[in-house]
Amino acid sequence: MSTPFDAPDWRGMSQEDRDKGLNNGVAVAGSAEIVAGWERRSAEVRARYSNHLDLRYGPRERNRIDFIKAAEKGPTLVFIHGGYWQTRAKEVFTLFAEGPIAHGINVALFGYTLAPDATLDEIVAEIHQGLDFLAAQLPDLGGDASRIVVSGWSAGGHLTSMALSHRHVKAGMAISGIYDLEPIRHSYLNVKLGLDEAMSRRNSPMMQAGGAMKPLSLVVGSAELPLLRKQTADFAGHRAKYGLPVTYEEIPGADHFTIMKELASPAGRITTLVRQLFERTG
């Protein structure tokens, strides 16, 4: 759980370097094409599992859940998409249900209102609202409301950590997440987010004394931007400091986008970690 040796302290970086150090789209060549490929494949998966799409959990347009059913009375993995809380949509990520559903794990993909139309406080509240709705609906959908694990990628990794406290969530699987929002507040990303120091701190798991006493698996790619690798390593150390259940792993050679292959594949490392979380929380 040591901090990557090549990770600089963001406080000593120039604005330009800090912005570049958080910009995954620029850092990964061909990232736009990768995401376009995700969207095409996700449309195919949605067409195959069209029975429970766009379940409305709240009043706003993006307050919707896609439920991909793999097994009657099976466990459910919640997946929260990324995009720095201000881009992308659940429909882009349906293909990543394929790894878990191959093992009889249902997948619920959450949508949420994006900044600047919602503050980060409101986005976190929407995720909790969605979890309330899902837990209530799972018996009718054919799932087991007592077996929910929450997961997410990038900004969704942050929202995973913020959802771990929900009473129906048994464990978390956070992929390439953000756990200290202060670097975000001091970057180009805050133009739409509009974080002040108080909102940043109350939504930063790294700023909290302790946390939910539930298993949390943290993964990041070894080829990701150093600031993001540092976020995950530091948060793993933070949880360990407070005696909270945590595992930390770097996926060898993976960048911020290719890491998601490990969830799309039934044999992928992240899929395996998800299965282990369900086994542990049983």
Side-chain angles (χ1 to χ4, degrees):
M1 289 186 230
S2 59
T3 297
F5 70 91
D6 56 346
D9 185 336
W10 66 268
R11 296 169 187 82
M13 300 170 72
S14 68
Q15 178 77 55
E16 181 181 2
D17 287 344
R18 187 159 54 243
D19 288 348
K20 185 186 296 184
L22 293 166
N23 194 327
N24 293 294
V26 170
V28 179
S31 59
E33 290 77 12
I34 292 171
V35 175
W38 292 356
E39 193 162 7
R40 286 192 299 272
R41 291 174 59 193
S42 290
E44 296 169 2
V45 178
R46 282 170 61 82
R48 295 202 307 270
Y49 294 90
S50 59
N51 289 340
H52 305 295
L53 302 181
D54 289 320
L55 306 176
R56 183 173 286 284
Y57 70 82
R60 305 192 74 174
E61 176 60 29
R62 285 174 169 257
N63 293 164
R64 301 171 188 263
I65 295 170
D66 292 342
F67 183 74
I68 310 299
K69 185 175 179 180
E72 184 69 24
K73 297 183 180 178
T76 297
L77 180 74
V78 168
F79 184 83
I80 308 170
H81 73 80
Y84 274 134
W85 309 274
Q86 55 196 274
T87 64
R88 310 206 196 286
K90 62 178 173 57
E91 291 80 6
V92 177
F93 295 84
T94 319
L95 78 111
F96 300 112
E98 292 196 309
I101 63 177
H103 299 282
I105 299 169
N106 304 318
V107 178
L109 298 110
F110 275 34
Y112 54 91
T113 307
L114 303 179
D117 294 329
T119 66
L120 199 52
D121 286 335
E122 291 169 336
I123 292 170
V124 170
E126 286 187 355
I127 298 302
H128 281 256
Q129 184 180 5
L131 287 164
D132 288 338
F133 171 87
L134 179 67
Q137 294 297 312
L138 272 176
D140 290 337
L141 292 169
D144 183 350
S146 70
R147 302 182 67 197
I148 297 174
V149 169
V150 65
S151 65
W153 167 76
S154 197
H158 164 265
L159 294 171
T160 293
S161 67
M162 297 298 289
L164 201 60
S165 62
H166 192 279
R167 63 192 178 97
H168 289 293
V169 171
K170 300 299 184 184
M173 173 77 250
I175 307 161
S176 306
I178 303 290
Y179 311 103
D180 176 2
L181 295 173
E182 281 296 278
I184 304 298
R185 185 167 73 89
H186 291 276
S187 78
Y188 74 103
L189 295 162
N190 205 39
V191 173
K192 288 186 177 180
L193 280 173
L195 294 170
D196 60 20
E197 184 175 4
M199 191 185 302
S200 170
R201 288 184 174 275
R202 66 176 168 264
N203 287 290
S204 291
M206 279 288 296
M207 302 286 186
Q208 312 309 315
M213 185 60 73
K214 300 173 185 177
L216 179 63
S217 291
L218 298 170
V219 297
V220 69
S222 70
E224 296 209 45
L225 287 165
L227 286 180
L228 289 184
R229 290 171 59 209
K230 177 175 168 57
Q231 285 264 350
T232 299
D234 285 354
F235 187 42
H238 175 83
R239 284 188 62 86
K241 171 185 172 183
Y242 286 98
L244 303 173
V246 65
T247 64
Y248 168 79
E249 194 167 317
E250 289 196 359
I251 305 297
D255 62 40
H256 195 65
F257 297 89
T258 60
I259 192 171
M260 289 300 289
K261 294 178 181 178
E262 302 300 321
L263 183 60
S265 168
R269 180 59 184 159
I270 298 176
T271 301
T272 298
L273 290 169
V274 166
R275 294 173 64 195
Q276 291 173 353
L277 286 171
F278 280 113
E279 289 166 4
R280 287 180 64 186
T281 57

